[in-house]
Amino acid sequence: MQAPACTNAPACTFPFATMQSHGVRIARSHAYDWVALLLLIAMECVLNAIEPFHRFVGEGMIADLRYPMKSNTVPVWAVPIVAVIAPMLIFMAIYIWRRNAYDLHHATIGILFSVLITGVLTDAIKNAVGRPRPNFFWRCFPDGIA
């Protein structure tokens, strides 16, 4: 007995849902998700543009802010590679292997949401609190004299 033909495209996800056949349909069905991502991008841009709260640093606080000045543990250029590009390459490899556009789309939306929500929350808290860096003393007084 032969299996019935796939008549309802969203119900038939594997192996029929490729980017060519379902890409636009999937993006349209998740239009609100893409609008939310655009709003998160706008919020991140605003948070990076506004002036943060500047906390007064008294003599009693300096003792906590005397950590030695060191170079970055993780270089700035490596963060987007590890957080976004590497996972996207893995998603693309799985898409090439399985040919499931729904999985690729949902994985892409998931990684973008997680990165953007993390960025927005982190920047909002940093701007609101305004606590100096732990090596604040050495940044302001590189010679060690206050």
Side-chain angles (χ1 to χ4, degrees), residues 124-137:
I125 291 169
K126 282 182 179 181
N127 286 346
V129 173
R131 186 177 190 281
R133 304 285 305 174
N135 57 7
F136 174 78
F137 179 81

Side-chain angles (χ1 to χ4, degrees), residues 12 66 73-75 85 89-90 95 104 106 125 135:
C12 296
R66 282 185 178 250
T73 306
V74 178
I85 295 173
L89 290 174
I90 293 169
Y95 170 72
L104 177 63
H106 292 138
I125 291 169
N135 57 7

